[in-house]
Amino acid sequence: MSRTRMDPSRRRRTAGAAVALALPAVLAVSVASQPTGPHHPGLSSAWASTTTSGSPETSLAAVRTIIGADSGAAKALTGKGVGIALIDTGVAPVPGLPATSVVNGPDLSFESQAPSLRYLDTFGHGTHLAGIIVGDDKDSGAKGVAPGAKLTSVKIGTSSGAVDVSQMIAAIDWVVKHRNDDPANPIRVINLSYGSGGNPPNWTDPLQFAAEKAWQAGILVVAAAGNDGNTAGKLTNPATDEWLLAVGATATNGTVATADDTLATFTNLSNGGNQVDVLAPGTSIASLRDPGSNIDNTYPTARVGTTLFKGSGTSQATAVVSAAAALVFQAKPTASPEQVKDWLIKGGTFLPTGKAGTMGLLELNVNGALARLATTVQKPTWSTSSGTGSLEAARGTSHVVLDNIPLTGERTVWGPVASAQWAPKSAAQTSWSGGTWMGFRIAGDDWSGTSWASKTWAGTTWTASAWSSNTTWTDPAWSGRTWSGRTWSAGAWSGRTWSSDEWSTAQWR
């Protein structure tokens, strides 16, 4: 497809399209703005999870019923044979995640330099989303929407959620390069419960370019709309990209009926440009608990029994939609991303109450999507990004900080990279060579393990010096913590070298 330059005012969808919520990127210090409310209004970059105080618990069984995954043609589908990449804060090997369901891709987070923390979820966010997608908790009976899918976890966030946009870009590039490593479970879906702090031009943004390359490689990219509220005025990046499936959240109001479901007040809506595509349950979702993690320690009242934890946000809604997409891909393996996107949007359930009904935003309905498998979907003609815009514009107000020095300008976490040099390599799928990305050694070279039930991408030591003068990667992110098999051991977040916005305003209860 030829690349065109368009004014943002021309990149619009009709109000009838449903909104998609994405988890904002793991936060580093947001220099220009700090969280100011229960759903971080004004916060440029964040993992899109929060909750509404006092909301009734929404079980995963209820989620499956609300979206029709436990009835009709959808009831027989599990996502078997479909790979989903979860680019997030890692996944802890809690009992509710079968070992055969999850493999570890490379750990590109700052915590990768501490072997005891590598791949593991010290924050708790990634584990919560993994439970929504492929969980199977025997103790509580909680089962994810696509328990037969294969989840590849690519960790980029730390225990405080700190991440730079360059880590997300490198992670997407890796997924595209390795999407067919497991022929029995090719990666067809990327879950981005993330939003960068930037508001760059759509036609040059490198983050959107990376996501578009994934789409062109046959991967449906599902992105959270953001948690800044209905008056935000625009979705978070990269959900602003028309090629992606943007997800917003609904409040289920304690029932499994859809007639009383309403647009969650924390969901971003757009005044122009890309609008939310589809809505999905996203309030007080009871998914897997990561015992001893940051959010588990900070919000003990969010625990449900001993194995579950309540969380709300467009992040959770995005995970629901990613899992539902896997069901559709299982039903029609030859489908393209744009077909599955169209079917999920147009097969949704109309919500008669409140703003969702007024705007024509539809709630996810798996059987509605499956009923459209024979319909023709026109090839989209949306504009594409050149990828040559600045990293700093994509980063926006969200900066990771090392020794009081923020990462700024045209530098990745690992060293300088010019977008104009990276973009053609990303398009040709040559930005990665083994464990080297754009010439920087940031991971091992291959998978370890004897079967796909135990695969893990090898780690490595970062040898390039950081952006802080004369500083190298020697500081582990979470002092005194180790995974004991079922929980994180005693220990405390020390702050030490890395600093970042903590999710003090995110409510998990």
Side-chain angles (χ1 to χ4, degrees), residues 361-396:
L361 300 177
L362 305 182
E363 186 168 35
L364 178 68
N365 183 323
V366 180
N367 283 304
L370 294 174
R372 303 186 65 84
L373 297 188
T375 61
T376 301
V377 176
Q378 279 193 315
K379 188 74 174 177
T381 58
W382 303 313
S383 62
T384 56
S385 172
S386 67
T388 58
S390 72
L391 284 173
E392 185 61 18
R395 187 177 290 127

Side-chain angles (χ1 to χ4, degrees), residues 92-352:
V94 295
L97 285 176
T100 55
S101 298
V102 182
V103 296
N104 287 313
D107 185 341
L108 306 181
S109 75
F110 301 121
E111 291 179 345
S112 67
Q113 299 308 285
S116 63
L117 306 179
R118 190 175 294 151
Y119 313 114
L120 299 172
D121 183 11
T122 54
F123 185 55
H125 186 272
T127 303
H128 200 260
L129 301 191
I132 293 172
I133 299 171
V134 297
D136 188 5
D137 182 31
K138 305 301 183 185
D139 292 338
S140 66
K143 180 173 288 190
V145 175
K150 178 61 68 71
L151 192 73
T152 298
S153 170
V154 181
K155 178 179 175 178
I156 62 172
T158 68
S159 62
S160 64
V163 69
D164 183 65
V165 70
S166 61
Q167 292 163 291
M168 173 57 80
I169 289 171
I172 296 173
D173 278 357
W174 184 90
V175 171
V176 174
K177 177 83 169 181
H178 295 278
R179 65 192 185 281
N180 293 320
D181 282 7
D182 181 2
N185 300 279
I187 294 174
R188 302 301 310 276
V189 182
I190 292 178
N191 187 99
L192 299 184
S193 291
Y194 160 96
S196 77
N199 181 23
N202 299 81
W203 51 90
T204 60
D205 180 35
L207 176 58
Q208 292 186 37
F209 180 87
E212 289 170 8
K213 293 303 113 179
W215 192 281
Q216 291 163 17
I219 302 173
L220 177 71
V221 183
V222 187
N227 293 336
D228 299 320
N230 295 170
T231 61
K234 72 175 297 153
L235 310 187
T236 58
N237 190 23
T240 50
D241 191 316
E242 289 180 302
W243 289 95
L244 278 55
L245 180 59
V247 180
T250 56
T252 60
N253 297 305
T255 75
V256 295
T258 57
D260 64 349
D261 289 358
T262 55
L263 176 70
T265 57
F266 55 75
T267 294
N268 285 33
L269 295 178
S270 176
N271 295 332
N274 193 29
Q275 185 57 278
V276 169
D277 290 310
V278 69
L279 303 173
T283 51
S284 292
I285 307 298
S287 183
L288 295 179
R289 175 188 171 205
D290 182 3
S293 63
N294 191 339
I295 59 171
D296 185 63
N297 289 341
T298 306
Y299 303 104
T301 57
R303 298 170 187 165
V304 179
T306 59
T307 60
L308 303 180
F309 198 83
K310 290 191 295 182
S312 302
T314 56
S315 288
Q316 281 73 16
T318 299
V320 172
V321 173
S322 291
L327 303 184
V328 177
F329 273 120
Q330 180 190 4
K332 191 160 186 176
T334 60
S336 67
E338 51 265 28
Q339 286 177 311
V340 175
K341 176 180 179 178
D342 186 85
W343 298 332
L344 289 172
I345 293 172
K346 294 179 180 177
T349 301
F350 177 74
L351 302 182

